Amino acid sequence: EIPMCIGSEGQAPAEQDQETEDDSTPQSVISDGILKRLEVSERKLAETEKQLAAVQTILAEILKKLNSTEQELADTKEDLEQSNEKLQAMMESWNETLSELETAKKKEVYSRWDVLYSEKFLNKKLTKEMVQDRELESNGGLLDLFVGMNITNDVIRYLKGRHEEDVVCL
């Protein structure tokens, strides 16, 4: 009797060769199934990574726009605050002017400069044509020095303060 060589797994070499050639064993079927699922998972992962990259790009663009919008908002708020300060100053000046006019009306004392409070002159740039207006002709050549200036409450107060003798009582 010739002894048979036993393979590494306790089987004859001929039996081992048959198993290797036959891929339908349960272990190889399981391995093929795992490999296929792994391939599918890898494809899905790659697709998900592409989608994530696209979302990150969109998010970066949105963040840029958000930062830009935040800066615009900050600039707008600053402009609004400055406008509110200017408006407040104008309102204070307006109220002072109204108060002065009311006081002058009560005292029935008028200055020849009060005509400058009218819409025709107040907050307008004084021109040579305006100086020649019949309402201002009594002011002589003094207003010629102010041509080109904006007629504000401060200018009118200056004229009234420097020319107190020009007050007319009615």
Side-chain angles (χ1 to χ4, degrees):
E1 211 178 281
I2 302 177
M4 222 185 346
C5 293
I6 305 288
S8 60
E9 296 181 9
Q11 298 174 337
E15 292 174 29
Q16 281 183 347
D17 289 341
Q18 285 178 349
E19 265 188 53
T20 313
E21 292 173 9
D22 185 14
D23 285 342
S24 62
T25 63
Q27 191 171 7
S28 66
V29 171
I30 292 172
S31 294
D32 287 345
I34 291 173
L35 287 175
K36 286 180 184 177
R37 288 195 323 215
L38 182 59
E39 287 174 6
V40 169
S41 295
E42 285 175 345
R43 277 184 292 191
K44 286 182 179 179
L45 177 61
E47 185 179 320
T48 303
E49 286 174 341
K50 285 180 186 177
Q51 290 172 348
L52 176 62
V55 168
Q56 287 174 329
T57 301
I58 292 169
L59 180 60
E61 291 174 16
I62 290 171
L63 287 174
K64 273 182 173 177
K65 288 179 183 178
L66 178 62
N67 289 336
S68 173
T69 302
E70 284 178 330
Q71 184 59 47
E72 287 179 32
L73 179 60
D75 293 344
T76 301
K77 282 182 178 179
E78 186 177 325
D79 290 347
L80 181 59
E81 288 174 10
Q82 290 174 356
S83 295
N84 282 337
E85 289 172 6
K86 287 178 183 177
L87 180 60
Q88 185 65 33
M90 289 174 67
M91 291 299 296
E92 288 173 10
S93 176
W94 175 259
N95 288 334
E96 287 176 23
T97 302
L98 286 176
S99 176
E100 287 177 12
L101 285 173
E102 289 301 316
T103 301
K105 284 180 184 179
K106 288 177 186 174
K107 293 180 181 178
E108 294 187 14
V109 174
Y110 297 91
S111 166
R112 66 182 182 172
W113 304 111
D114 286 338
V115 69
L116 295 174
Y117 285 115
S118 70
E119 286 185 31
K120 188 174 182 181
F121 302 107
L122 188 61
N123 293 319
K124 304 273 189 321
K125 187 178 275 193
L126 188 64
T127 65
K128 287 199 177 272
E129 292 79 22
M130 293 168 96
V131 171
Q132 295 169 355
D133 188 283
R134 68 180 184 90
E135 291 180 88
L136 298 178
E137 65 189 1
S138 65
N139 296 316
L142 184 62
L143 284 179
D144 288 332
L145 299 173
F146 293 89
V147 169
M149 287 184 66
N150 195 23
I151 300 298
T152 63
N153 292 323
D154 292 335
V155 171
I156 298 169
R157 280 189 216 110
Y158 170 82
L159 291 169
K160 285 177 141 184
R162 295 288 183 187
H163 303 282
E164 291 177 6
E165 70 279 357
D166 295 332
V167 173
V168 177
C169 294
L170 299 178

